[in-house]
Amino acid sequence: MQVINPATGAVIADLAADDAASVEAKVDAARDAQPAWAARPLAERVEIIRKFRAMVTYRLDDLAAIMTAETGKPIALSRNELNGLLPRIDFFLDNVVDTLAPEVVLLDDDNGMEEVITQEPLGVVANISAWNYPYFVGSNVFVPGLLAGNAVVYKPSEFASMTGQAIAEMLWGAGVPEGVFPLVIGGGEVGAALLDQRVDGVFFTGSYATGRRIAEAMGGSMARVQLELGGKDPVYVAEDVDVAIAAASLADGAFYNNGQSCCSVERIYVHGDIYDEFVEQFVKTVEGFTMGDPTDESTYLGPLTRAAQVEVLQAQIANAVECGAVVQTGGGPVDERPGAWFAPTVLTNVTHEMDVMYDESFGPLIGIQWVAGDDEALSLMNETRYGLTAGVFTADEPRATELLRRVNAGTAYWNCCDRVSPRLPWSGRGHSGMGSTLSRAGILTFTQPKAWHLRQPS
Ligand code: NAD
């Protein structure tokens, strides 16, 4: 399988891809290796993940360069991701012992009766991952999954396979047996081959279209299926904000990583009283973004990772313009360079008649819609099939919390956006997926409870 640098079009590696037979052999090996891994004291698994963390720290610059070469992510952003990985690992290391500890829920000495809940690993789980934040979305699964005693069959995205290899090498080097963390390389067909094997869980991050296929394929298996999918995340900007600050913050929320984030701001609704001023400030910020060589420290926007997304963005822009939208800046690909470069694009005069306000753009494209006030904003925010995050920018906290309470999304942001915390559950609603990673919920999702009814002999 060839790895292509999206910034140059050059082939930078040729990897041996898996096939159905090798996938089967790896899952069988995982099945053999998992019981011994689960039988080791938790403290040993904690120590191994601590070593993995140390390796990430030691290799940080080298790992950032690999990620930048294969995804086109600007180098400063690649380092940000790796630096952000460390507190995520710390959260799991700090909380796994308490979260997985047996819980005595009844101790009835008079009748010699005790009730206890213990947490057991699921067994062999598949981790099918995306490319946009390969360290974040991968580690949300393999770190707690391994700590909880599972074998994790890891399939990185075909657009982040070298990063996947680096992750596997570090985990093996830290002491995770290869059978407990088999690496599977390849595209969608290899992911599908993984689903044909007997696995006890599938933890997937990617698009709704693939997530749906996975849910359908796994339906009869009764294995745990967790899906972290896309979004069309809305933000409402009320009239009482500092417009320049809100505009700068939301421009970053929409265009960071070229808009290729599951929780990128994808729709903005602005109160009519400040609409014109907001658009002006927003466009000014966007036009100040530096696009260029992703290995350059000052670059904010690199190429799109997947060239195929150019067509999706062009179609959304064409549809919007046809229905009356105005292109304030950008509007299409930047042709001069090899690779898929797309000018950051801001559309105004948008309405919910347009695809750009419904379908995930997953690229450097945003629609800004005029609204009369809170009620209209709330109703438009909820007019979506997705439900990952939603935000409100206002000086008035009770106003924000009341609106956010009524928004159907797994994450609520007041005066912030595009933010993930290891302490909080990350969970989508509707077409944004099912289940939670991160937080204590994101540890327990890799276990199954056992209920103990213990009666002392009379
Ligand atoms: P994708 O769905 O194209 O691919 C994801 C993974 O699934 C890849 O590893 C791919 O090889 C594999 N795959 C493809 N077809 C398969 C099949 N039939 N069976 C099994 N596996 C298969 O998604 P992508 O382009 O890698 O990622 C972008 C999407 O991910 C966006 O929609 C984004 O919003 C979403 N995402 C969500 C989150 C979240 O936390 N909710 C985080 C990151 C990305």
Side-chain angles (χ1 to χ4, degrees):
M1 194 184 76
Q2 289 191 328
V3 178
I4 293 170
N5 180 330
T8 62
V11 176
I12 52 172
D14 219 331
L15 308 179
D18 277 279
D19 58 20
S22 68
V23 169
E24 183 176 0
K26 287 179 182 182
V27 175
D28 286 349
R31 180 87 37 216
D32 290 344
Q34 188 268 331
W37 175 247
R40 287 167 80 160
L42 177 54
E44 281 184 24
R45 296 198 295 274
V46 164
E47 219 29 62
I48 288 171
I49 296 298
R50 219 182 280 290
K51 275 192 200 145
F52 166 73
R53 184 200 190 281
M55 289 177 173
V56 172
T57 314
Y58 182 69
R59 284 188 60 184
L60 200 131
D61 288 333
D62 153 43
L63 299 172
I66 294 171
M67 181 161 40
T68 290
E70 67 179 343
T71 66
K73 180 178 292 199
I75 190 73
L77 278 62
S78 292
R79 270 203 311 275
N80 283 352
E81 181 176 346
L82 284 153
N83 281 316
L85 169 68
L86 304 175
R88 290 196 186 201
I89 297 176
D90 291 339
F91 172 83
F92 290 124
L93 291 175
D94 293 345
N95 287 281
V96 68
V97 174
D98 277 0
T99 306
L100 298 186
E103 189 185 354
V104 179
V105 289
L106 176 76
L107 196 52
D108 178 354
D109 289 335
D110 293 346
N111 295 302
M113 194 71 205
E114 190 179 356
E115 294 174 1
V116 182
I117 305 168
T118 58
Q119 299 296 334
E120 298 183 350
L122 297 174
V124 176
V125 301
N127 176 0
I128 302 180
S129 199
W131 49 264
N132 59 335
Y133 287 95
Y135 284 97
F136 285 162
V137 298
S139 67
N140 289 354
V141 175
F142 64 71
V143 170
L146 289 169
L147 285 171
N150 298 281
V152 179
V153 185
Y154 175 51
K155 195 199 93 56
S157 163
E158 57 273 42
F159 298 98
S161 297
M162 291 165 69
T163 292
Q165 279 185 327
I167 287 171
E169 283 161 18
M170 289 187 288
L171 283 169
W172 299 334
V176 178
E178 278 194 39
V180 170
F181 190 75
L183 174 68
V184 169
I185 294 288
E189 64 300 338
V190 174
L194 189 45
L195 305 178
D196 287 340
Q197 302 304 313
R198 187 167 71 83
V199 288
D200 305 300
V202 176
F203 293 80
F204 170 77
T205 309
S207 59
Y208 166 74
T210 311
R212 180 182 170 158
R213 255 181 244 132
I214 289 177
E216 285 167 357
M218 296 304 294
S221 72
M222 305 300 155
R224 185 161 302 168
V225 176
Q226 184 156 300
L227 305 170
E228 298 205 340
L229 311 177
K232 191 72 196 167
D233 296 358
V235 172
Y236 168 48
V237 187
E239 75 295 345
D240 60 354
V241 296
D242 180 317
V243 175
I245 292 176
S249 166
L250 288 169
D252 186 48
F255 291 99
Y256 189 85
N257 202 27
N258 242 330
Q260 301 169 128
S261 309
C262 52
C263 54
S264 285
V265 175
E266 289 245 348
R267 301 179 279 151
I268 302 178
Y269 303 99
V270 181
H271 193 288
D273 289 357
I274 56 158
Y275 183 81
D276 290 340
E277 190 190 348
F278 179 88
V279 169
E280 190 189 321
Q281 296 285 347
F282 190 91
V283 170
K284 196 168 105 190
T285 308
V286 173
E287 289 181 340
F289 289 149
T290 330
M291 178 181 272
D293 179 353
T295 63
D296 191 322
E297 288 295 335
S298 63
T299 294
Y300 180 78
L301 295 171
L304 299 182
T305 304
R306 287 174 60 254
Q309 200 64 12
V310 169
E311 259 179 56
V312 173
L313 298 172
Q314 280 179 311
Q316 287 191 354
I317 294 169
N319 165 270
V321 169
E322 214 169 275
C323 300
V326 175
V327 179
Q328 294 286 344
T329 186
V334 177
D335 289 331
E336 298 93 67
R337 318 163 204 249
W341 302 78
F342 204 93
T345 301
V346 180
L347 301 179
T348 54
N349 288 33
V350 293
T351 67
H352 272 225
E353 307 303 305
M354 304 172 187
D355 296 344
V356 72
M357 299 306 273
Y358 271 107
D359 298 333
E360 190 178 36
S361 303
F362 211 62
L365 170 60
I366 186 82
I368 305 179
Q369 182 162 349
W370 186 101
V371 290
D374 296 9
D375 289 345
E376 188 183 5
L378 182 65
S379 133
L380 290 169
M381 287 166 96
N382 277 331
E383 206 174 281
T384 177
R385 295 181 295 269
Y386 290 106
L388 193 57
T389 83
V392 172
F393 278 55
T394 168
D396 182 343
E397 185 173 1
R399 182 176 173 189
T401 46
E402 177 55 17
L403 285 167
L404 290 167
R405 197 184 56 72
R406 293 160 66 197
V407 169
N408 189 22
T411 289
Y413 296 125
W414 176 44
N415 292 337
C416 57
C417 56
D418 193 21
R419 181 179 189 276
V420 180
S421 161
R423 295 166 292 280
L424 294 171
W426 189 248
S427 40
R429 299 181 183 177
H431 285 195
S432 291
M434 52 196 207
S436 299
T437 48
L438 300 174
S439 78
R440 284 170 184 262
I443 299 174
L444 289 171
T445 193
F446 296 98
T447 64
Q448 44 196 342
K450 182 168 276 177
W452 298 80
H453 303 245
L454 305 169
R455 187 188 293 283
Q456 295 295 330
S458 46

